[in-house]
Amino acid sequence: MFGWKGKFLRVNLKKGKAVTTKLTSPIARKFLGGRGFAAKILWDELQPGIDPLSPSNKLIFAAGPLTGFALPSSGKLVVAAKSPLTGGYGDGNIGSHAAVQIRKAGYDAVILEEKADKPTVLLVQDEIVEFLDAKDLWGLSSFETEKRLRSVYGASAGILCIGQGGEHLVKFANIVCQEGRAGGRPGMGAVMGSKNVKALVFVGSGDLSAAKPKKMKELGAEAYREVLTKPNYNFWKRQGTMMTIEWSQENSVLPTFNYKEGVFDQADAIGGFTMEKLKVSNRGCPHCNMTCGNVVMGSDGKESELDYENVAMLGSNIGLGNLKQVAALNRAADEFGLDTISLGNVIGFAMEASEKGLIKEKIEWGEFEGTKTLIEDITYRSGLGEFLAEGVRYFAEKIGGNSNRWAMHVKGLEISAYDCHTTPAMALAFATSSIGAHHKDAWVISWEVNFGREKYVEEKVDKVIEFQRIRGGIFESLTVCRLPWIELDFELDWYSRFLHAATGFEMPWSELNIIADRIFTLIRAFWIREYGKNWSREIDIPPARWFEEPLTKGPLKGAKLDRTKYGILLDRYYRERGWDNQGIPTKATLEKLGLEDVAKQLE
Ligand code: PTT
Ligand code: SF4
């Protein structure tokens, strides 16, 4: 087998034992890697209805057939499990040396099963697996944990860890590495904490073998050169994802005051050009020559790596217009290992609840010190933090007062940083995303703004599905960074050429699209199996706020979504996907995608 390593490492944390299992060629071709492998394993191996924070859940770290090769931005890894935040399929994507080292150690995926008896560091050095006592690390921040481990295992070791948020099972705790890479929004850090695993360390000494090694080397080198010639390259290196603040403000989609508005009076103060003045360095994921991590110095005197989502959610969404302070909050989130998107979302919700008198605690829009304290309270589950740590869906149910109408989530996952009062296709993308309201699968918003945001037409459904295939399906399974394609127009054709050189298989985009649909549909089946009788099409509808409360500011003042027209878009989406009018894949669709066993179970 070329491209893939052909092996999974299965670690039983309770027994302190690890075994390898074989990845067969038909499964590799059917599910590709990363998210595809994770979805297949979770569907096949999890008992429906398990508690995601119990030992029965499995935590999967999965690479793909291109991960770790010398080609642009290939140092990415998918981390997946049943989500404690949503109760459905959950995953995230991390740029990390761990992605490269897992493959060098000889594996396509590592699966953690059961629960360790005590705090543990899992050390994988090629075929040797050790379970180290982590009592001295438990209670430390993600940064300090990594620093200590790195001093032992070296600069290129792959290290993934949780902060105190994961230890305290905050439902949106994520997994952190390299002081500012973080992934696993739907509580993957909490699942790791529930298994008593503080960190994973991977050290590999093997090589990746390609079917056509010479071709692979030439293609990789050519591709790196190509990236450097792209017109947007220099600006990307200056601002990275931070350029999106200006764009979102200009187009009235910058989430502001818990998604009440799409413009923020102080947007310039938290935008890409302000960031450039504070920037002290640039860093990024392994194998990347367009690194986009913007490091600035925060008001706490500590470094913080800024991305658009972090700044919009901990800035405009909570009414904070001071970038140094936003950076300090972002740094705290990284150290504690909390997802910044969900964090900014629950804090915005708490501020609104406080303003409306639905909670007794006082926390005002834009308040910095109060927010810092609240982040600590969430991490340690103290006071109001105890409830916010459960996520916005839970908290809205708890406080009532119709607050579920402005609890900004889909399927329990807090919405990423795009206000959709005026963008029905982006609302549909959030509502039908495979992990809840994440932009990763189908960021159609910039296309939609150019195309005509007010329209509710078939082209929008087609675009959502096209992006769900490319982004959510192929990039998450290859598993490499999608940003060369999105931000620099690095052509998609490169990836089928890489795949051919790596695996020896000719896999045109027509075949890749079928694989993407298979993975997407399998994930949908997972949700339906978990939600059972509670499943309905209502779950694919975004929050009431976007339909009921028009924008009150900016050039699009007065705009809101139309519920009837959204319903028609959703029907059309279901039809194109081959799902019934409740969003459940039909038997014929499942069989067409080679998911006959899934069809039987869903019936
Ligand atoms: C991703 C989500 C994002 S998406 C951001 S910023 W973005 C937030 N980053 C966080 C952070 O930082 N610290 C923290 N404590 N929580 C954070 N939560 C948020 O997580 C990230 C980049 C970015 S920056 C994006 S868009 C792209 N995402 C990719 C993806 O999903 N798949 C893929 N194949 N390639 C991608 N490339 C880009 O990677 P989740 P990273 Mg991430 C500080 O985690 O769960 O997937 O959610 O991984 O290594 O930090 O790179 O404007
Ligand atoms: Fe990582 Fe950014 Fe490079 Fe993508 S473009 S691999 S997110 S540094």
Side-chain angles (χ1 to χ4, degrees):
M1 200 182 221
F2 295 102
W4 296 278
K5 300 300 293 186
K7 269 191 302 181
F8 291 164
L9 180 71
R10 278 178 188 275
V11 180
N12 186 313
L13 294 161
K14 187 173 165 59
K15 293 186 180 150
K17 291 226 160 67
V19 293
T20 54
T21 52
K22 197 167 167 224
L23 165 67
T24 62
S25 190
I27 292 292
R29 273 201 79 164
K30 241 177 129 176
F31 293 95
L32 214 53
R35 175 180 266 188
F37 289 165
K40 171 81 178 136
I41 295 165
L42 293 174
W43 173 267
D44 286 349
E45 300 181 17
L46 284 199
Q47 273 297 106
I50 58 145
D51 173 355
L53 295 177
S54 74
S56 313
N57 204 356
K58 300 197 180 194
L59 183 61
I60 301 166
F61 298 86
L66 298 187
T67 309
F69 275 109
L71 58 89
S73 312
S74 72
K76 289 276 186 181
L77 187 68
V78 166
V79 50
K82 178 176 172 182
S83 160
L85 182 64
T86 68
Y89 171 85
D91 74 15
N93 191 299
I94 314 183
S96 169
H97 290 299
V100 181
Q101 295 296 336
I102 283 181
R103 298 260 290 160
K104 282 183 154 186
Y107 311 105
D108 295 303
V110 175
I111 304 157
L112 303 191
E113 301 174 340
E114 298 292 337
K115 175 183 180 179
D117 293 337
K118 55 180 190 219
T120 298
V121 171
L122 184 78
L123 171 64
V124 179
Q125 300 187 87
D126 297 333
E127 67 284 356
I128 300 168
V129 179
E130 290 176 71
F131 300 80
L132 311 179
D133 193 338
K135 81 169 174 308
D136 293 346
L137 299 176
W138 204 257
L140 296 182
S141 73
S142 66
F143 285 25
E144 184 59 27
T145 303
E146 178 166 346
K147 195 171 127 200
R148 293 195 190 181
L149 291 169
R150 207 162 277 296
S151 69
V152 181
Y153 299 103
S156 63
I159 300 174
L160 300 171
C161 35
I162 56 169
Q164 299 92 332
E167 292 175 10
H168 289 86
L169 310 181
V170 175
K171 296 272 172 76
F172 47 87
N174 58 10
I175 297 171
V176 182
C177 67
Q178 292 167 216
E179 302 197 351
R181 315 268 105 204
R185 289 199 54 210
M188 299 302 103
V191 176
M192 191 155 146
S194 76
K195 295 192 171 301
N196 257 337
V197 175
K198 178 70 179 172
L200 301 123
V201 181
F202 298 99
V203 182
S205 65
D207 286 325
L208 298 185
S209 48
K212 300 174 190 304
K214 188 161 168 278
K215 182 82 198 156
M216 194 72 198
K217 220 171 148 189
E218 285 167 7
L219 264 182
E222 198 187 326
Y224 278 119
R225 284 196 296 275
E226 172 84 7
V227 165
L228 298 179
T229 66
K230 295 292 181 188
N232 201 24
Y233 181 83
N234 288 332
F235 191 57
W236 172 257
K237 284 285 286 187
R238 276 171 50 194
Q239 293 207 359
T241 59
M242 281 294 291
M243 62 180 157
T244 315
I245 295 277
E246 272 80 11
W247 182 86
S248 291
Q249 171 79 354
E250 275 165 25
N251 291 288
S252 298
V253 298
L254 184 67
T256 303
F257 302 128
N258 193 29
Y259 298 81
K260 247 192 285 187
E261 308 294 346
V263 290
F264 181 46
D265 290 347
Q266 299 168 78
D268 284 348
I270 59 165
F273 293 97
T274 303
M275 182 279 297
E276 281 195 64
K277 292 183 199 135
L278 304 179
K279 188 165 170 173
V280 292
S281 67
N282 170 288
R283 59 186 181 218
C285 314
H287 290 314
C288 180
N289 69 336
M290 49 179 278
T291 50
C292 64
N294 297 303
V295 184
V296 304
M297 205 59 87
S299 61
D300 53 357
K302 295 180 182 172
E303 289 188 348
S304 178
E305 191 176 317
L306 297 182
D307 269 306
Y308 167 73
E309 302 286 333
N310 309 329
V311 174
M313 295 310 295
L314 294 170
S316 54
N317 196 53
I318 64 168
L320 180 60
N322 177 323
L323 194 57
K324 275 176 157 278
Q325 291 181 340
V326 173
L329 299 182
N330 180 59
R331 164 88 185 205
D334 281 347
E335 289 198 20
F336 290 137
L338 302 177
D339 173 54
T340 50
I341 298 176
S342 291
L343 185 64
N345 192 312
V346 297
I347 293 170
F349 182 87
M351 288 173 170
E352 186 164 350
S354 173
E355 184 181 56
K356 291 192 155 105
L358 284 171
I359 54 175
K360 64 178 185 332
E361 292 81 358
K362 290 280 164 239
I363 171 111
E364 288 187 8
W365 296 112
E367 192 185 323
F368 172 66
E369 287 301 334
T371 300
K372 247 183 99 181
T373 308
L374 189 54
I375 292 176
E376 260 186 65
D377 288 346
I378 290 171
T379 304
Y380 294 102
R381 289 179 165 274
S382 149
L384 181 61
E386 169 68 37
F387 307 110
L388 293 176
E390 294 291 306
V392 81
R393 178 170 66 180
Y394 171 91
F395 191 60
E397 275 163 22
K398 185 163 176 56
I399 65 171
N402 266 341
S403 63
N404 61 351
R405 308 198 82 67
W406 40 271
M408 303 307 286
H409 71 92
V410 174
K411 301 183 180 71
L413 184 69
E414 289 76 15
I415 294 177
S416 330
Y418 300 94
D419 182 79
C420 293
H421 275 91
T422 59
T423 52
M426 191 64 220
L428 180 70
F430 276 139
T432 58
S433 148
S434 41
I435 60 168
H438 200 313
H439 59 292
K440 129 175 10 218
D441 283 1
W443 188 73
V444 291
I445 198 162
S446 78
W447 169 85
E448 183 173 28
V449 165
N450 291 332
F451 176 79
R453 59 170 89 199
E454 67 293 345
K455 298 178 193 155
Y456 291 74
V457 290
E458 208 166 330
E459 286 93 327
K460 293 203 171 179
V461 172
D462 294 344
K463 190 53 87 179
V464 169
I465 293 178
E466 179 193 330
F467 273 29
Q468 285 175 337
R469 285 181 177 139
I470 301 172
R471 296 168 58 113
I474 305 310
F475 277 103
E476 291 315 301
S477 303
L478 281 176
T479 302
V480 296
C481 181
R482 60 172 189 252
L483 296 181
W485 165 61
I486 296 168
E487 303 295 349
L488 302 190
D489 286 333
F490 180 73
E491 297 79 7
L492 285 179
D493 180 50
W494 280 99
Y495 295 94
S496 35
R497 288 156 69 201
F498 292 145
L499 205 47
H500 181 224
T503 65
F505 297 128
E506 291 274 10
M507 294 173 95
W509 273 90
S510 51
E511 182 180 343
L512 294 177
N513 281 338
I514 294 171
I515 296 174
D517 283 351
R518 181 178 299 125
I519 297 166
F520 199 80
T521 308
L522 179 61
I523 293 177
R524 168 119 315 212
F526 185 93
W527 279 93
I528 292 162
R529 188 172 74 173
E530 291 298 335
Y531 273 51
K533 290 201 168 60
N534 294 326
W535 182 269
S536 81
R537 65 182 275 133
E538 285 304 306
I539 290 173
D540 286 335
I541 297 180
R545 163 156 283 169
W546 286 340
F547 296 104
E548 294 173 358
E549 297 174 32
L551 295 174
T552 69
K553 282 186 180 170
L556 296 172
K557 186 174 161 181
K560 62 181 168 73
L561 291 181
D562 182 311
R563 195 179 282 277
T564 309
K565 289 181 185 166
Y566 175 84
I568 295 169
L569 270 194
L570 186 61
D571 282 335
R572 207 169 255 163
Y573 175 89
Y574 286 164
R575 269 202 304 280
E576 285 194 31
R577 281 262 173 222
W579 300 352
D580 70 12
N581 66 3
Q582 294 301 308
I584 300 176
T586 64
K587 190 164 177 245
T589 300
L590 290 163
E591 287 176 353
K592 196 174 83 192
L593 293 169
L595 297 170
E596 292 80 1
D597 55 321
V598 177
K600 274 197 206 114
Q601 271 204 51
L602 271 198
E603 250 178 6

